[in-house]
Amino acid sequence: MSESVTVIIDGDIATLTFANPPLNFATIRLIKLIADNLEEIDNNSHIRVVVLKSAGDIFCAGADLQSENGFGAESNDPLRELYDQALRIYAAKKPIVAQVRGAAIGAGLGLALTADFRIATPKARFSANFAKLGFHPGFGLTYTVPKLVGEQRAAEIFLTAERYKPDLLQQWGMVDIVATEDSIDDETNGFAQKIASNAPLSLLSTRETLRIGMLERVTQSIHREHSVQIELFKTEDFNEGVRSVNERRSGYFTGQ
């Protein structure tokens, strides 16, 4: 297994770097490792802010839907396992700043949107590409995307399944800062330090107030997403969608 997570603590900032080379696909084990480490960070009173980033030039290219038995599942419902771990990330207590280089696609976009803030390079690309796969959005995206950009922009993002550049998404409210490749580490750490310089109990309580009811609403969205995804897994359009994306061509969909 190639999934790994490392945490480096510098003062009151913890930098959590995840990896699953070469594309940093989301697997149950990787999402669990991230959730496990976030829980440990929550239990460390000296840490005030988390920086979430990937190793390499891709943030996360999505979930590997072709792996045998659902990208490393221990049951016959790998999606439920994945989402159970994702909900643990949503339940994290401390502010999270996501640093996004390269692609944040599908589940990778979902992971980026679990954070409170996103700092991206110009080469970053964000996509909810589920419709191109003959699939349904997941990872709580049907809650997080409309919350950030509004219902109309969310409909565009989901129904076109296009890739979006960070400068446009900054205008829409999904990206907070666009930084150059050379400056993104300094920008990310500087932004995290602005948060970390404040009173820790105030940070925790304010974030908790801002997110009242969020976990419950995300859970409801994920349950709906999961039930529809299970049905769409069985369709020929889903099989064609996966083939077409892998073959870099348009899908030929029949509604079956």
Side-chain angles (χ1 to χ4, degrees), residues 161-176:
E162 291 295 309
R163 291 193 175 204
Y164 289 86
K165 296 180 179 180
D167 53 350
L168 177 60
L169 293 185
Q170 185 179 32
Q171 297 175 34
W172 289 2
M174 187 180 290
V175 171
D176 298 283

Side-chain angles (χ1 to χ4, degrees), residues 42-96:
D42 280 344
N43 292 327
N44 185 333
S45 61
H46 299 293
I47 299 171
R48 301 183 187 179
V49 183
V50 181
V51 172
L52 175 68
K53 60 188 289 189
S54 66
D57 296 327
I58 293 175
F59 183 76
C60 174
D64 185 356
L65 298 175
Q66 288 190 305
S67 291
E68 185 176 356
N69 195 26
F71 42 91
E74 297 180 357
S75 74
N76 60 359
D77 193 348
L79 279 172
R80 182 56 184 267
E81 287 187 54
L82 181 73
Y83 294 153
D84 284 347
Q85 299 305 321
L87 286 170
R88 294 175 61 212
I89 297 176
Y90 279 107
K93 297 177 181 178
K94 296 187 178 177
I96 301 173

